[in-house]
Amino acid sequence: ATDFSPIEIGCMQKLSSPNLGSVTLGGDLMQRLTTHGIGKWEELEDVGIAAQKCPLAISYRQTHRLLQVAADLYRHFMGEEPSFQSAYEASELDPLPLHFKATAEKSSEVWIAERIIEIYEQNSGRLPTIGVLVPESGHVADFTKKLSDYLYPHSIEVEGSLTGQNLGDSARVRVF
C-alpha cells in the first residue's frame, strides 16, 4: 500500500465489491519503493478512508541488533517511537553494524565488494538478498559499474535499480 498515493488507494476502495465496500492492504512506510506513495497513514483520511491500522508488534525477520538499527532509522524518518520489537533476545553472537570511511587507499566500492565476498564465502557460495544504498539516484549507474568490476571474478552479478522497480532475490546484488 505504501507505494500508492492516497487517491490511488481511495480508488481501489471505491472499485471494491459493493457488498463489502472495503479493501485490505498491507505495507511498511519504511519499505516503500517509490517517492509518490503515502508518507503517513493519516493521509488516507484526506480522501475519506477510515483505515483500520493493525501495527506490527513483533518482528520475526531481523535479529535483535538489526531491528535496533531499523528502530533508529524509524525514529529518524518517522519522528516517532517504533511500536515493534524483535522476537529474538539480544545476543553477543549477533554481528555488530560495520562503519567505513573511504580513504585514498581504499574506496567504498572496494570495501563493500570485500564485505559482499565475505558474506558469499561465509554462506558456502550462496548469496543472500543484498541491497546497497547510494546517496543519490545519479550515483547508481556509476557505483553499479564499479562494484560489478570487483565482483565479476567471483561470479556475483550487480544490478542498478534506479526506481526501485526490482524485487529482491539472491541472484544478484542490487544498488539503490
Side-chain angles (χ1 to χ4, degrees):
T2 56
D3 291 321
F4 296 104
S5 73
I7 298 289
E8 291 169 321
I9 294 172
C11 289
M12 287 180 216
Q13 182 185 32
K14 295 298 181 195
L15 293 171
S16 67
S17 169
N19 295 338
L20 300 175
S22 69
V23 63
T24 301
L25 301 167
D28 180 344
L29 294 172
M30 292 288 294
Q31 293 186 5
R32 72 173 178 232
L33 299 174
T34 65
T35 57
H36 69 273
I38 61 174
K40 295 187 183 286
W41 293 111
E42 291 74 23
E43 292 176 19
L44 295 176
E45 296 169 7
D46 295 340
V47 293
I49 298 174
Q52 177 185 2
K53 291 190 281 184
C54 300
L56 172 70
I58 306 290
S59 175
Y60 293 92
R61 293 186 67 187
Q62 293 94 7
T63 63
H64 184 270
R65 185 167 284 147
L66 184 57
L67 196 63
Q68 293 307 307
V69 172
D72 288 344
L73 289 170
Y74 187 90
R75 273 185 218 94
H76 178 76
F77 288 106
M78 302 304 293
E80 61 188 40
E81 284 299 312
S83 61
F84 50 82
Q85 61 184 357
S86 178
Y88 309 105
E89 296 291 324
S91 169
E92 291 301 317
L93 299 175
D94 197 4
L96 293 169
L98 301 175
H99 174 77
F100 172 77
K101 183 172 174 100
T103 64
E105 294 79 34
K106 186 175 279 193
S107 69
S108 57
E109 296 90 356
V110 170
W111 186 83
I112 290 172
E114 289 172 351
R115 300 296 69 77
I116 292 169
I117 294 164
E118 183 180 322
I119 291 167
Y120 180 75
E121 290 171 351
Q122 287 179 356
N123 285 286
S124 303
R126 290 185 11 243
L127 194 65
T129 301
I130 296 177
V132 178
L133 305 176
V134 295
E136 297 177 23
S137 60
H139 298 162
V140 171
D142 185 52
F143 196 90
T144 299
K145 170 73 172 97
K146 290 177 180 177
L147 194 58
S148 292
D149 291 345
Y150 290 110
L151 296 177
Y152 179 80
H154 299 275
S155 298
I156 299 173
E157 292 181 55
V158 182
E159 177 181 46
S161 183
L162 289 170
T163 61
Q165 72 278 16
N166 297 317
L167 296 176
D169 65 35
S170 58
R172 62 192 60 88
V173 173
R174 269 185 328 292
V175 179
F176 298 94

